[in-house]
Amino acid sequence: MRTERNLTRLDRVFARLDREPERPTHIDVPKTSRHRVALFAATLVFYLAIVWLVVTTSWLVRLDWQVMFFRPYQQWPEIHAFLDYYVVLGQRGPTAVMVAAWLGWRSWRQHTLRPLLTLGASLLLLNITVGAAKLGMGRLGPHYATTIGSNEMGLGGDIFPSGHTANAVVTWGILAYLASTPRARRWLSALSAVVSLGVGLTTVYLGTHWLSDVVLGWVAGLLVLLALPWCEPLIARAEVWLLDRRDRWRERRTVPAPAAPVAVPVSLKPRATAQDEVPAAHEGVAAARPPRAPTLAPAHLAPGPHSARSERTPLTPVGSRRPPHADRLPRGAPAASTRPSTGG
């Protein structure tokens, strides 16, 4: 008895993608709603509260110093080698390449540039907001701290907020943002939260960031994801503009096919000669001559002796200019007997 192989989840995913040769119309584009606006406002307030707690050297700064003196990398040295590789999931270059490869494949399968344009918009917002905050606050990291208990602000550093953590939230969270079904969005949101949380805690373990840097990095990345629906109209216009440019470029590269040659009918009528222009009075003489073959093209004359022009007999409407010979008879006349007649 023949049994069929059970399809796995990955087989069903590929089968579903194979049924999408054109851009799907059921893509759920997140829109700006009251719930999202309220969540964005609450996250922004939390962001400002963390900055204020660090600037005023509150209990959060004291907690940063306590975690730094605890030195987690000395407490659990056996996981140090693994976390050195795991922290790469928060680096901007490798993660952007991996996510862009997946979203590029999705763009090719679904015939839309929205996934790649959304990724580009999110990374642009991340670089502007987080980069400006890093340079504006200038906080030094734990390895470069100068005064115990201080917030190390305004000393030329660039670690507040944590770029690794914010990048992990945005890069892996964009997969959940672009999910086509609510179930996939929930699973990918949980996965991105776990990855970004692990990346942030790894930086604290390695001693490259304060704990407050990581918390502010999570909030900064979440703000970027919540602000993406406001960028959707601009992304749609950019997609239309790029596709229009692509179509124009293809039209310029397309070489028009050469036009088919028009067949010209060839006339087989012989050229008019001087004999065809003989007047009606000499039609009898012209009719007695054998018809000439039609001339289609000038024939090549074989080399040989030719008569001089003066020796040729020109034809005129009245005949030849040479004097007639008495002993010659015109053509077509009955030849007379040259035998002398005798009587008897």
Side-chain angles (χ1 to χ4, degrees), residues 4-58:
E4 296 182 357
R5 183 176 65 89
N6 294 329
L7 296 178
T8 62
R9 184 181 297 273
L10 185 62
D11 294 334
R12 290 195 294 269
V13 169
F14 283 145
R16 180 183 176 186
L17 290 176
D18 289 337
R19 292 195 299 268
E20 295 180 353
E22 298 180 356
R23 178 177 180 177
T25 57
H26 61 275
I27 294 180
D28 183 17
V29 179
K31 298 178 177 59
T32 303
S33 60
R34 293 182 179 180
H35 175 73
R36 185 177 290 272
V37 172
L39 185 58
F40 180 84
T43 307
L44 182 59
V45 171
F46 187 53
Y47 182 96
L48 297 176
I50 296 174
V51 174
W52 175 255
L53 290 174
V54 173
V55 170
T56 58
T57 316
S58 64

Side-chain angles (χ1 to χ4, degrees), residues 188-229:
L188 290 175
S189 299
L191 179 62
S192 62
V194 171
V195 172
S196 59
L197 179 65
V199 169
L201 294 179
T202 300
T203 60
V204 175
Y205 169 87
L206 297 175
T208 58
H209 279 287
W210 306 99
L211 181 61
S212 57
D213 299 341
V214 173
V215 176
L216 194 64
W218 286 330
V219 179
L222 183 59
L223 283 175
V224 172
L225 292 179
L226 291 174
L228 279 179

